[in-house]
Amino acid sequence: MLSPGLCVPLLAVSCALWPAAVRAASCEPVRIPLCRSMPWNMTKMPNHLHHSTQDNAVLAIEQFEGLLGTGCSPDLLFFLCAMYAPICTIDFQHEPIKPCKAVCERAKSGCEPVMKRYNHSWPDNLACSELPLYDRGVCISPEAIVKAEGPDPYYQDPARCNPESSPDFPMDSNNLHCKGPSGVDNCRCKTVRMSLKTYLRNNYNYVIRARVRDVRNQGLEPTAVIDVKEVFKSSLVNIPRETVTLYYSSSCLCPTLVQGEEYLIMGYENEETSRLLLIDSSVAQKWRDRMGRKVKRWDQVLQGKRRAPQPRSRH
């Protein structure tokens, strides 16, 4: 048996080297969106929670999205993925590898107090007592993987910092600033010009005037807390004139917002979660009084285009 400190670093790079027949016979690609940022890309069902398929596992792991959003523990996502989409390797096909007990305990100690505020406790099926110790068995932990030689397996491709290029790719909690192995910041917020052409092309769900209270880049979901001063457009979500939260779809914090400044903000809405989103093509322009009148004119143009009769096709 390989010692745990040596086997785990190799796991992150070994999957791609197996023959296709071996991969197909025993392992399957990770399809759970929350777990695509993990340093392994192959898993095996049933998992440690006895889900027979990844489709079932997706429905179960999604219940933790709210808890992940609190940033209660940097180990929570790694631990959950190791349980719901366990790493599959050629050496351990008979049984998926479990996360180490210490990883579970760190996630639990950080997040259980948050859960208790909402009258929930740490789930029995995620009990830490059932997991192996790092030095007494084979298990997976982020420490072992990060110390592996070669490229950092947590390295996030610059393209993944852009939500438009990979809209379902979750942020990597271990690489919040999208930095490459050299430590160079790969985030470059593109300038989105505030114009009628941009407004018509991007078809924003919401347009608001707001003052920035705080920008938070901790945990899994960078956010901006704002005071809404005026709502020019709201399509799917009711936006009150009070303090609300904007959710960045990228850890690069684009577009840039500065605490204490007032902006005209154009973005998108997630109707299912009632969230206001900021993505790479959103607009955040420092507020000027003439902006309100300009946006109202643009919205009239947009509505006119929608009402205009479409030419009939001739047969």
Side-chain angles (χ1 to χ4, degrees):
M1 176 183 294
L2 292 173
S3 65
L6 293 177
C7 76
V8 177
L10 298 175
L11 302 180
V13 296
S14 62
C15 298
L17 303 179
W18 305 342
V22 173
R23 295 200 303 268
S26 56
C27 301
E28 57 188 81
V30 174
R31 299 193 312 275
I32 298 175
L34 280 173
C35 299
R36 291 183 188 167
S37 60
M38 293 296 103
W40 64 89
N41 58 8
M42 303 296 286
T43 187
K44 182 177 181 178
M45 296 288 133
N47 60 20
H48 299 305
L49 286 308
H50 310 295
H51 297 112
S52 58
T53 67
Q54 288 194 63
D55 290 337
N56 292 337
V58 166
L59 297 175
I61 197 173
E62 282 180 348
Q63 67 182 307
F64 293 98
E65 283 187 316
L67 187 63
L68 285 164
T70 67
C72 55
S73 169
D75 292 287
L76 181 60
L77 181 60
F78 186 98
F79 171 68
L80 291 174
C81 288
M83 293 294 290
Y84 285 87
I87 188 169
C88 182
T89 79
I90 195 169
D91 296 312
F92 296 93
Q93 296 177 48
H94 59 286
E95 185 177 353
I97 299 173
K98 293 182 177 180
C100 297
K101 183 178 181 180
V103 181
C104 176
E105 289 175 338
R106 292 198 300 264
K108 181 179 179 181
S109 64
C111 297
E112 191 170 37
V114 177
M115 299 174 72
K116 285 183 176 179
R117 290 181 213 157
Y118 299 94
N119 298 318
H120 293 289
S121 57
W122 191 255
D124 292 338
N125 61 354
L126 298 179
C128 302
S129 59
E130 304 299 320
L131 300 174
L133 294 171
Y134 179 77
D135 57 351
R136 297 182 189 175
V138 175
C139 61
I140 185 171
S141 75
E143 294 89 353
I145 293 177
V146 170
K147 292 175 183 176
E149 294 182 1
D152 183 356
Y154 276 111
Y155 167 57
Q156 190 172 7
D157 189 292
R160 289 175 173 171
C161 296
N162 181 353
E164 291 180 319
S165 65
S166 183
D168 63 346
F169 191 90
M171 283 177 293
D172 185 346
S173 61
N174 293 276
N175 194 6
L176 286 175
H177 298 285
C178 304
K179 291 184 179 179
S182 63
V184 177
D185 194 341
N186 287 307
C187 292
R188 295 290 182 272
C189 294
K190 68 180 182 180
T191 301
V192 182
R193 239 181 119 252
M194 185 182 148
S195 65
L196 175 59
K197 182 179 179 181
T198 300
Y199 189 79
L200 297 177
R201 181 182 67 239
N202 290 347
N203 193 23
Y204 297 107
N205 292 143
Y206 74 87
V207 180
I208 59 176
R209 171 190 172 192
R211 181 177 295 277
V212 179
R213 276 197 173 197
D214 192 17
V215 178
R216 300 169 182 172
N217 192 12
Q218 296 178 349
L220 293 171
E221 291 184 311
T223 57
V225 180
I226 61 169
D227 291 325
V228 177
K229 302 294 184 182
E230 192 170 356
V231 178
F232 296 101
K233 180 180 180 181
S234 176
S235 307
L236 308 171
V237 177
N238 178 44
I239 305 176
R241 291 188 61 174
E242 57 185 47
T243 302
V244 300
T245 300
L246 306 180
Y247 292 84
Y248 282 98
S249 294
S250 165
S251 53
C252 292
L253 301 182
C254 298
T256 302
L257 295 174
V258 177
Q259 184 177 348
E261 296 286 352
E262 195 165 308
Y263 292 88
L264 177 73
I265 302 174
M266 303 181 185
Y268 298 93
E269 300 168 344
N270 185 322
E271 185 176 17
E272 293 182 2
T273 60
S274 297
R275 287 184 171 185
L276 304 180
L277 307 178
L278 287 172
I279 72 168
D280 212 32
S281 60
S282 296
V283 168
Q285 296 272 337
K286 288 190 178 181
W287 175 255
R288 299 289 183 273
D289 288 338
R290 64 179 181 276
M291 288 179 173
R293 295 190 297 272
K294 186 179 292 187
V295 168
K296 289 175 182 177
R297 288 200 305 270
W298 291 350
D299 202 47
Q300 289 174 355
V301 174
L302 180 62
Q303 297 304 324
K305 282 183 172 292
R306 288 176 176 170
R307 289 193 296 265
Q310 299 298 316
R312 296 180 180 179
S313 59
R314 296 181 178 179
H315 297 284

